[in-house]
Amino acid sequence: MMEALHKLLKVKRPSKMFLLDMALALTLLPHLFVFDAFLVLYLLLALYLIFKKEYRVLHAYFLFFGGVLAIGGAYFESYNLANFSRMQFFVSFVSAALLLAVVLQRHKREINFYLLLSPALFMLLSFFFFDTIAMLFYSIFAFFILMGLLIWSRMDATLAELLRLNSLLFLLSMPAVILLFIAFPRISFEKAEFGFRGDLYTSNFFDGSMLVDGRSFEAGERVVMEIFFKESLPLENQLYFRGSVLYPKSALVWEEKDDEPEDFLIQKEHLIDYDLLLHPQGKKWLFALDMPTLTPNKSNLQKGMTLRSENEIHKSKRYSLQAALHYRLVSNALGETLEVNATAYPKTAAYLKNITAKTPREKADALLAFFTSLRLAYTVKPYDLDAKNPVDSFLFEAKNGYCTHFASSFAIAARLLGVPSRVVSGYKADYTSRVENYLVVKEKDAHAWVELYLGEEGWVRFEPTATAFKNLDIEEQKEDAKEKEGLFHRVNLHYMYVKYLINSWILGFDRSKQVQIVQALLSDTLYLLRFVGAFFGVVFVLFLLAFLIQNQKSRDPLMQAMNQLLKLLEKKGVHKESHESMEHFLLHVQDELKVPMKSLIEAYHDAKYAMQNAALQRVLSEIKKIRAELT
Amino acid sequence: MPSLKTFISIHKSVKVRPTKQFFLLLFGIISLFAQAYMHNYNIVYIMMFFLVSVAGTSTYFGMKNLHPLEVAFASQERCFAFEKGVFSVAITNKSDYALYDLDFSYQTQHHKISRLEANQRVHLHFELLAKSRGHEQIDFISVSSLFPLSHEIKSRNFLLNKELLIYPKPEGVSLFDSLGMHDAAEGDMGDFKALERFEQGESLSRVNWASLAKSETLMKKEFSYESKQKSLYFDFERLGGETESRLSQLTLWILECESHDFAFTLSLSKRLYDSKVEGVDGVLSLLALYEL
C-alpha cells in the first residue's frame, strides 16, 4: 500500500490530454447525479469510443446522432418551450448539450480552447444543482485538483512536488478567502428556489391532530429541527416548542380549530433570540419556542400563538426567532375552552367532586395532586382504551399511557372543574441532545402538554405527564440513556453541530450575519479581540502548515553543505561569481582569506565527480574546519 | 518561508504583466460573481474568493521561481560582421529548489528550460549577427515564465553589459589564389617540391607514407608554397580598395594563414605586427578596431 502510494507520488507529468481528461471526469461527477439514464448510457458509450485506439469518422457521426437522440430521450417528457424559462430545466439542458459538444471534440483527439474551457463550464453549471455541505466540500476539492492539473501543465515535476506546491498555494490563499468571505458585501436576495437537494427528506410525523387511543407511540430518530440559541440555552423545563393548539372534536380526537379564541401576549420577559433550522416536512407548521414574540417572513401568527409558514416546507428553512420565557398570555373569549360533557366521563366527574378548591390556581394544583394520587404509569405502549370514554378508561382502568393520554385527560378534567383548558402539541426538546448552545430536536421528542387559563395569570403551561409515578419503559429508557452517553451518540451530535455551523455560517451566510458580526465588533471589545485573535490564530496555523510542507530543499547533501559555506564566505566578503567553477572560487578564497582549501577541493571533486560516499563526510569535516578557522 | 528582505527583493527584481488568460480569469470571476450575486450562493462566492486569492498568491510563487536565477556571460566564439556568431551564458539556479517553465530570450531568440534543478548550472548559446566590425554590446538576457498559472507572465532582465569584439567580415581573394597556390593542406602534385627528413613535432599530415614503406625512413613532403611561409607579409596600405574591403581581405588571409599554420606579419598604421607575437586574435582585434 505504502509502496504503491510512494510510486504514485513519483509519477511524472502526464500528457496534456490526460490532464484534461482528469479535469473533465472530476467536473462531470455531479452532473451524473442529474443526468437522465439516456445521457449516462450515452456517456458510457462515448467513453468506449473515445478510448478506442483508432479514430473513425463513422464513430464521430454515431456519437453526434447518438447524443442528439440521448438528449431527446432525456428531455422528451418534460420538453416544451415554456420549460426553458425554468432554471433547473434550462441548466440541465445546457449541461447535456455541453456534454455532447465535449464528447465530439474529445473524440477528435484535438485539444482546442473550448475543450480546455469545458471543465470550468461543467463546474459552473453544477453549482446550480446542489447547495449542500457535500457540494461545498466537493467544490473546494475539485477546485484544488483543477488548479493542480493546471499548474502541472506548466510544471515539469512529480506528483509529490505538484501536491506540495498546490497545497502551499491553497494554504497561503486561505487568509484572503476567509477575509473576503466575511467582508465581501452580500445582497439580501432570497436564496434561489430551484436546485436538486441531496439531503432532502420529509417528516410526516406531526400532523397537527391528536388521537387518544391505545396505539403505541412510535417516533424515530429523524431530526425535525436544529436550534442555535444566540446567548445561552434555556432551562430544560423551558424547552417547549409549540406546534398546534388542540381542542376536543370527540372523545378520541383532538384537533385545531379555525375559530379558536384569540390570544394576546400582554407581558413578555426573559426574551431569548435563537435561529431555527427546520427540516422539510411537507407541511406548514413552524415550531417556535414558548412563547413566540416575532413572526418571521412568509409566516403567520395564529390565534393560539402558533406559527404557520405561508407555504408548505419542502426544503430546510432557517428562521430567526425570539421567545419570551416568562409571559402573560390572555384571551378574551374562553367559551369553547370550557365545553365538556360531564356525563361522558362519569368516573372522573365523580372523583373531581371531592375537590373543593376555589381559585383556578388551587384547582389546577389539586388536579395535579389528583393525577399523582392515581399512580398512573408512563409507557409508549399503553393498554387498549375504551374508545367511548378514553378519559375514565385511562385514569381508572388502563392507568398507563403517554403524553397524549395524560394531556387530554388533564384538559378534560380541568374543564370538569370549570377551568378553561386546551392541549398544545409540539416538541419538548431532550436536554441531552445539545452541544453548548446548539440543540437538536428529533421526532421522538414530539410531545403534548396542557394550558389552563388561570384567571389573571392567563394561559399557564402544565405538564401532566410529569405526574406519572413510574415509567414502564424504564428498561428501554435505560438503554436509550446508555446510548446517549455512548461515544457514537456524542460523535453524532458533534457531527450534527458542525454540520449545523457549516450550514448556518457558510452556506447560509448572508447580509444579516455580516451586520450581526459588524455590530458585535463595534459594540463588544471582547468579541473584537476574540475575532482578531481567532483570525490571526488561523493565519498562524496556515502559515505554520505552509512552512512545514515547504520542504523543497535540495536533496543533494553536498550542495547543501557547500551552499552553507558559500553563504558564510559571502558574509566574509568573498562572492562566488556564477561563471566561476567551485575549484577556481575556492582557490580565490584561499588567496584572499589565507585559509587552506586544497583538502576541501579534493574532497569536493571526489564527492561530486567520483561519487564517493565517504568523500561527503570529508567535505563536511573540511567545511567544519574552515568555519572554525573563519569564525 | 522567505524573510521580509528576500520578499522585497523578489518583488523588486521580477516584473509581472497580464496575459490573454488574465482576461479569461476576469471573465470567470465575473461569471461566478453574477451567479453568486443572483442567487446568494455561498458555494459560488467561496469558489470566486478562491479563484481571486489563488490567482494572487500564485504571483508570489511565479516571482519566487525567477528570483534565484543568476545569469552570467560565459564565452563567445569569434564573431565577424554580417556573419552569425555564437555567445553563451551560464544560467545558475542558486536555490535549493527546482525552477520551472523558464523561457530565456535574447532579442528574438528563445531557449526554453522546463525544469532547472536545485543548484544546477546550464549553458545556453545565443546567435549574434553584427552589422559592423568593432564592439557589439550585449545589454541583457531576459527570462520569462508562465509558471505556475498562465494568467500573468513573470519576467526578469539580467544585465550583462558585455562588449563583444566583432571582426571584419572575412571576404576577398583567397590567399592561395592570390599567390597561385592550392589551399589543400596535402597539396597538389604540381606543388610538390621535394622529400625531406621528418623532424619531431612536425605535422603527421606531411609524412610521406610511401617512402616509409619502401625505405623505413620517415620522410615528409615539402611543397613549393611552404617555402614562402616565412615571407608572408600583409601590408594594409598597399592593398587597394576601400578601408572596409581591405580589412575584410586581410581578415580572410589571416584566417587562412591560421588554418594552415602560416606565420605572417601585418603592416598596419605604419606598425608591424607579427602573428607569433600578437597572436591571431590579437592581430584580428587590431583589424576590428582599426580607426574606431
Side-chain angles (χ1 to χ4, degrees), chain A residues 110-181:
Chain A
E110 282 173 18
I111 299 178
N112 64 4
F113 173 75
Y114 303 103
L115 194 60
L116 283 173
L117 206 60
S118 53
L121 291 176
F122 274 127
M123 192 151 173
L124 210 62
L125 288 169
S126 65
F127 292 139
F128 284 103
F129 298 136
F130 304 105
D131 182 27
T132 59
I133 293 177
M135 185 65 190
L136 173 71
F137 285 118
Y138 160 79
S139 302
I140 294 172
F141 173 74
F143 188 79
F144 177 82
I145 299 293
L146 287 179
M147 278 298 129
L149 296 175
L150 204 58
I151 292 170
W152 217 1
S153 68
R154 296 240 154 249
M155 187 181 179
D156 183 9
T158 62
L159 181 61
E161 287 169 317
L162 172 79
L163 285 176
R164 187 185 299 133
L165 176 78
N166 206 20
S167 307
L168 275 173
L169 202 57
F170 258 68
L171 286 172
L172 297 180
S173 301
M174 282 303 282
V177 173
I178 294 168
L179 268 185
L180 282 169
F181 184 78

Side-chain angles (χ1 to χ4, degrees), chain B residues 136-190:
Chain B
E136 177 79 13
Q137 179 82 12
I138 299 178
D139 294 328
F140 60 86
I141 296 287
S142 298
V143 60
S144 62
S145 173
L146 291 171
F147 172 85
L149 296 172
S150 55
H151 65 288
E152 54 192 13
I153 188 162
K154 279 69 67 176
S155 62
R156 198 176 163 194
N157 289 340
F158 292 94
L159 283 177
L160 297 179
N161 279 335
K162 181 75 183 174
E163 277 191 335
L164 297 190
L165 197 57
I166 309 297
Y167 303 131
K169 184 181 181 184
E171 65 179 0
V173 184
S174 164
L175 177 68
F176 299 94
D177 288 344
S178 64
L179 297 176
M181 300 186 305
H182 293 279
D183 62 349
E186 66 275 19
D188 271 5
M189 284 302 287

